[in-house]
Amino acid sequence: MKAQATDGGKRLRLLVRGAVQGVGFRPFAYGLARRLALGGFVRNGPEGVLIEVEGAQAEAFAGLLRAEAPPLARIETIERQDLSPKGDRVFTIGATTSGPVRTRIPADTATCDECLDDLFDPSSRFHLYPLVNCTHCGPRFSLTRALPYDRAQTSMAAFPMCARCAADYADPANRRFHAEPIACPDCGPQLSHAIDDIVAALREGKIVAVKGIGGYHLMCDARNDETVARLRARKQRDGKPFAVMVANAASVEAVARPTDLELRAAQSPAHPIVLMQSRRNLPEAVAPGLARIGIMLAYTPLHHLIFHAAQRAFSRSALYDLVLVATSANPGGEPLIGDDAEARERLGGIADLIVSHDREIVTRLDDSVVQTIDGAPAFIRRARGYTPDPIDLGADGPVVLACGGQLKATVTLTRGREAFVSQHVGDLSDMETFRFYRETIDHLTRLLDVAPDAVACDMHPDYLSTRYAEETGLPLVRVQHHVAHVSSIAAEHGVKGPLLGAALDGHGCGADGAAWGGELLRVDGASWERRGALAPLMLIGGDRAAREPWRMALAACAATGRMSRAERFAGPAERTTLARMIKAGKEWPPTSSLGRLFDAAAGLLLPDARQDHEGHAAMRLEALVERPRLLQGGWRLEGGALDFSPLLGFLIDETPEARTGAELFHGTIAAGLADWIAADHAAVPGARIALGGGCMMNRILAEDLSARLREKGLDVLHARAVPANDGGLSLGQAAAARALLATG
Ligand SMILES: [Zn+2]
Ligand SMILES: [Zn+2]
C-alpha cells in the first residue's frame, strides 16, 4: 500500500470527524493522495480519521476531502494543523490506533447497485452469493459488538477471510477495501436453503421466515388471500397492517400510486418502509380498512435472489411482479426475533419454512417506517438504516441517559454534542420487550463508552422506563411528556430561544397528574409554561376509554349536553348502563387529549369502531378522508382553551355518513388548531412554532394544519429526525434534562 510522491513541500495534519469509518473513507483518502502525488498516511483513530499529507498539492487535498467524500460518509468537522515537512514521499494506509473509543458505527445500508451487478454476473466470484456486500453497502450496526468498527469486533469475526477476500480487503483500489463484513461463497456464511426451494414454498402459499439484517421477516405471497389470512391468524396480529416488499422502484406501481418524494424515500440507502396510496388490489387482510400501504424495496442480496427467481417460477409472464408480505417475525407484541435458535423455537408454529444463514445478528432492528408530510419524509418508526446516526445537539454537555416512554419506547444517550437515539424498542409492558429495552441501554452505553451523569424520564409513575430510571440511583430529571415532544423538535432543529409547541397526542401524564394530550406549550430551554389546552372530555372508564371509542362518544354527548341522544351511540347493555350513570351525574377524570377527541369522533361515526392498537380508530377515520372540509363555527376559543363542542354537537345531531363526518372532523380540527396557535403566537412574537405528538402521524391533519398556519404567515417545524410520536420522547427528555442541568 505505498504510492510514490514527487514533491516535498507542505505537510498538513487533518483530523476528520463525523460518519467517516466503515464507509470507504481511507481508500478514498488514499486514492486522492495518490492522484495529487502526496506523501503521508491515513488511519482510523479513536476520534475519527487522522490524515497527514505532504507535498505541493496538500492544500488541494484538504479542499477536495469534503467535495469528493464517498456516498455514505458524513464529515462534520476537519481540524487542521500545519506541520514541518518530513520529506515523506509515499502515502500509506495505517492500522487502526487503539485508545478511548470516540468513533461511530455506520447504520445498515441496502445492497448497492454495484453489488447487485456482482450478484447476477456469472463471471463474478460473488455470483448468486446471498450475503455479498462492499464498503458502500451491507450490514453494519446490526452486527457490531464494540468499537472501533473493525471486522474483529463484528459477528463476521467468526469467518476467516479466504485469500481472495483478504486480497480485496487489503487493496486500496478495491471497492471492498476494509469492507468489514466482506464474504464470498468460499469463506463466508451460508444460506440454509436453496433459493429455488424458498421460492417454491412461497408459490405454494407457504409462510416463510427469512433472516434479514436486523431480524427475521415472515414472508408470504401478498396476492394469496388464503395465505395472508393464515398469516394473520397465526401471528395473532389483530388489525395492524402488514408491510409488503417489492423487487424495485419500478414494481411499486403494481400495488401503489407513489409520489416522486415517496419513491425517493423508498430508494434511499436505508430502504425504509414508506406509506403510499394503495391501489387496493391486494387482499383486504394485508392492511384492513386503510387507504395507504407500507412498501419497502428488496434490500438484501437474499431478497433480490428471491425476487429474481420468482420472476420465472411464479408466472409465464415476464411482467409478473411478485409482491411479498414482509412483516417482522414477532409473535404478539414481543420484540422481533434475531437469534436462530429462538427463531426455530418460537416461529415453528407460524412459519412453514425457516430460512437462515450463519451470520449472527448482534443487535436487533425493526424496519424503519416513514411517510411524507408537508413536503419531506417523517418517521413513524426509526430503526434499521438510521440507528445509530446521532443528532447534533449543537453544544457539549453532561452525559444523559433518557429513558423514553412506555409505548414505542426508545432511549437516548448523549455524548459530547451528540445524541444517540436507540432503535425502536416497543411496548415495555411486554416482558420480553422490556428485556430488549435493558439490553439496548447496555449495548448503547458500551458502544459509546460513557457513564451517564444523570438520567431523564417521563413524569408517569407507572411507565417501566420511569421505574428503570429511578432504579439507576443517578440524579433524576422528570420531563413532562408533552414538553419532551416539543423539546425533541427544538433539539433536532437546533432552535435556540422560545418555541411555541402544539403537542397533539394520545395520552401523557400532565404536570398536575391529569391526562394531557392537546397542549399549547411555550418551551424555552429549561423553562416552559402551559399556555392552553383542549377543552376536557371525561375519560369514561379510564384506560379503557382509549381502547373502546364508544366510551369517548358518550363523553362527547355528556360534554355537549346531549345525553338524550346518547342511546344512538350506545347499544349493548354495558353502554346503556353507563349512559344512565352519566345522566345521573357520575363523573370521570378529564382529559385534554386530541387523540381521545379523535376516538370520540370514531365512536360517533363508525359504530363498529374497535381499537386493536394505539391510534387504530383514528387511522380508519383518516383513511376515509379525501379532502378535509370545514364546519364554520365548529370551535370556540376561550382564553387559552380550544373547545370543539360545536363540532361534536353537529356530529351527534346530524349523524353525517362516515366519510362526510370524517372530512368535516379533520378540516375543522385543523382550522380550529390553526386559529388557536396563531392567536397565542401573537402573544409570544418571535417564537418558532412546532407541531409534535402522536396525532402528527395523521398526515391529513398535519398537512392541513401546516397549510392553514402558513396561510396566516406562520412557519412550522415538524419532527424529521425522530418520530413525532413517543418514539421521539427520549430525545426530547435528553435535551430538556441537559438544559436543566446547564442552569444548575
Ligand atoms: Zn455494495
Ligand atoms: Zn472469501
Side-chain angles (χ1 to χ4, degrees):
M1 284 184 283
K2 290 186 173 181
Q4 285 290 321
T6 54
D7 196 346
K10 191 165 194 172
R11 189 175 181 94
L12 288 178
R13 171 180 289 171
L14 304 162
L15 176 60
V16 188
R17 289 194 174 95
V20 288
Q21 298 190 345
V23 293
F25 202 82
R26 284 179 297 167
F28 152 69
Y30 175 88
L32 186 59
R34 200 153 66 159
R35 207 170 90 208
L36 300 174
L38 301 171
F41 66 83
V42 57
R43 65 175 176 239
N44 280 338
E47 289 187 85
V49 171
L50 182 67
I51 304 170
E52 289 190 14
V53 279
E54 181 170 340
Q57 301 267 28
E59 285 294 344
F61 179 93
L64 290 172
L65 211 50
R66 252 181 215 282
E68 295 186 2
L72 295 178
R74 268 213 322 281
I75 298 177
E76 259 148 37
T77 59
I78 302 178
E79 228 172 75
R80 61 169 281 168
Q81 197 186 342
D82 289 286
L83 304 175
S84 36
K86 291 181 179 171
D88 228 347
R89 297 170 63 83
V90 291
F91 194 89
T92 58
I93 296 184
T96 298
T97 56
S98 60
V101 177
R102 278 288 177 275
T103 48
R104 283 193 197 153
I105 304 168
D108 304 283
T109 303
T111 303
C112 73
D113 289 345
E114 287 163 296
C115 281
L116 268 185
D117 289 345
D118 288 345
L119 187 63
F120 294 112
D121 174 3
S123 71
S124 165
R125 68 191 188 88
F126 300 100
H127 183 225
L128 304 183
Y129 181 55
L131 292 123
V132 60
N133 64 82
C134 76
T135 313
H136 307 305
C137 75
R140 299 285 188 274
F141 179 62
S142 61
L143 49 68
T144 306
R145 295 182 207 284
L147 278 171
Y149 175 66
D150 259 333
R151 187 178 180 94
Q153 311 267 33
T154 71
S155 55
M156 286 304 295
F159 299 90
M161 284 181 239
C162 68
R164 286 196 288 181
C165 282
D168 283 359
Y169 182 89
D171 174 7
N174 193 287
R175 195 171 92 247
R176 295 189 172 85
F177 175 72
H178 274 266
E180 307 303 339
I182 186 177
C184 77
D186 293 340
C187 66
Q190 302 296 323
L191 197 64
S192 62
H193 293 76
I195 298 292
D196 286 344
D197 294 343
I198 301 169
V199 171
L202 290 168
R203 197 186 55 224
E204 287 160 21
K206 291 188 170 149
I207 295 165
V208 182
V210 179
K211 190 173 185 178
I213 295 283
Y216 278 81
H217 279 128
L218 289 169
M219 293 186 159
C220 71
D221 179 0
R223 297 189 210 255
N224 185 329
D225 287 86
E226 188 270 327
T227 300
V228 176
R230 192 150 35 88
L231 174 59
R232 201 162 269 292
R234 286 192 194 169
K235 209 186 164 194
Q236 295 160 358
R237 196 186 165 89
D238 44 58
K240 273 191 199 173
F242 290 141
V244 300
M245 182 181 279
V246 297
N248 52 46
S251 311
V252 170
E253 288 285 344
V255 288
R257 294 185 176 83
T259 64
D260 289 349
L261 189 59
E262 286 162 350
L263 263 193
R264 274 208 302 281
Q267 291 172 281
S268 68
H271 274 40
I273 295 169
V274 182
L275 297 194
M276 304 176 187
Q277 195 196 340
S278 170
R279 284 188 188 272
R280 305 199 84 150
N281 55 0
L282 293 176
E284 180 65 12
V286 172
L290 299 181
R292 287 191 293 163
I293 184 168
I295 300 182
M296 67 188 128
L297 311 184
Y299 61 80
T300 70
L302 174 55
H303 298 153
H304 288 286
L305 289 171
I306 291 173
F307 280 100
H308 185 76
Q311 190 94 94
R312 284 171 285 122
F314 263 74
S315 163
R316 277 137 280 172
S317 154
L319 295 173
Y320 184 84
D321 276 309
L322 174 67
V323 182
L324 290 175
V325 164
T327 181
S328 330
N330 50 345
E334 296 171 18
L336 83 165
I337 294 171
D339 180 75
D340 296 344
E342 204 187 341
R344 283 192 297 274
E345 191 181 309
R346 288 171 56 204
L347 296 177
I350 301 177
D352 302 305
L353 182 70
I354 298 177
V355 177
S356 178
H357 55 69
D358 43 7
R359 186 178 69 202
E360 186 197 339
I361 295 170
V362 173
T363 299
R364 287 174 288 174
L365 294 147
D366 273 292
D367 291 314
S368 294
V369 186
V370 307
Q371 63 179 337
T372 62
I373 283 190
D374 213 16
F379 283 106
I380 292 170
R381 181 168 77 196
R382 182 181 182 271
R384 178 186 54 77
Y386 300 96
T387 317
D389 288 349
I391 287 145
D392 186 3
L393 294 175
D396 212 335
V399 178
V400 173
L401 169 66
C403 296
Q406 172 79 7
L407 302 169
K408 305 180 174 66
T410 62
V411 298
T412 293
L413 191 59
T414 67
R415 186 184 74 183
R417 51 185 285 164
E418 295 174 325
F420 293 82
V421 183
S422 78
Q423 72 272 40
H424 163 89
V425 174
D427 178 356
L428 301 186
S429 61
D430 173 75
M431 232 174 59
E432 279 303 310
T433 307
F434 190 57
R435 204 162 58 105
F436 178 38
Y437 173 83
R438 288 196 305 257
E439 262 173 45
T440 300
I441 293 175
D442 292 345
H443 189 56
L444 202 56
T445 311
R446 216 169 37 243
L447 283 182
L448 297 178
D449 193 25
V450 291
D453 300 311
V455 286
C457 67
D458 197 86
M459 283 183 169
H460 201 301
D462 300 329
Y463 280 3
L464 287 175
S465 53
T466 303
R467 300 226 189 109
Y468 178 94
E470 287 166 350
E471 280 165 19
T472 61
L474 291 165
L476 182 65
V477 181
R478 293 178 204 270
V479 183
Q480 198 278 323
H481 193 94
H482 303 104
V483 172
H485 277 312
V486 175
S487 297
S488 166
I489 298 174
E492 68 154 289
H493 291 282
V495 177
K496 308 274 174 272
L499 190 65
L500 185 62
L504 308 167
D505 205 22
H507 176 274
C509 181
D512 56 3
W516 291 10
E519 314 304 314
L520 197 52
L521 305 170
R522 180 183 182 275
V523 177
D524 190 355
S527 71
W528 66 275
E529 62 173 319
R530 188 191 196 198
R531 298 185 57 86
L534 295 190
L537 292 176
M538 284 193 293
L539 208 47
I540 295 175
D543 288 348
R544 295 181 65 186
R547 292 192 295 272
E548 298 169 7
W550 63 266
R551 291 172 182 273
M552 291 312 301
L554 282 190
C557 292
T560 56
R562 284 170 170 78
M563 281 314 291
S564 60
R565 298 185 57 85
E567 314 296 332
R568 282 189 91 99
F569 312 104
E574 190 186 16
R575 305 187 186 186
T576 316
T577 311
L578 262 179
R580 245 182 248 128
M581 287 165 71
I582 296 164
K583 280 183 200 159
K586 164 99 175 127
E587 287 186 17
W588 280 267
T591 178
S592 53
S593 159
L594 181 61
R596 292 300 85 77
L597 192 63
F598 264 87
D599 292 346
L604 295 172
L605 295 167
L606 308 167
D608 66 327
R610 291 170 311 139
Q611 191 91 305
D612 292 330
H613 53 87
E614 205 197 6
H616 185 197
M619 278 165 74
R620 280 190 55 200
L621 217 52
E622 181 191 359
L624 290 172
V625 179
E626 265 159 25
R627 176 180 296 272
R629 290 194 274 165
L630 182 62
L631 177 71
Q632 291 296 342
W635 67 92
R636 285 192 294 265
L637 273 183
E638 292 163 354
L642 171 60
D643 186 355
F644 284 107
S645 290
L647 170 63
L648 292 172
F650 175 85
L651 297 182
I652 295 166
D653 295 341
E654 306 297 325
T655 57
E657 57 97 20
R659 180 180 305 280
T660 309
E663 292 185 338
L664 281 169
F665 185 76
H666 276 80
T668 308
I669 293 285
L673 289 170
D675 259 13
W676 184 51
I677 295 166
D680 195 57
H681 187 261
V684 279
R688 304 291 304 272
I689 293 173
L691 303 176
C695 296
M696 288 298 97
M697 301 290 107
N698 182 321
R699 176 163 73 163
I700 303 230
L701 176 68
E703 294 193 334
D704 198 24
L705 175 53
S706 310
R708 288 176 183 279
L709 285 166
R710 261 196 304 276
E711 275 170 25
K712 297 172 190 287
L714 300 172
D715 220 19
V716 297
L717 299 172
H718 290 280
R720 299 290 185 200
V722 295
N725 64 24
D726 285 7
L729 272 186
S730 65
L731 175 65
Q733 291 170 350
R738 269 205 170 183
L740 195 74
L741 293 167
T743 64

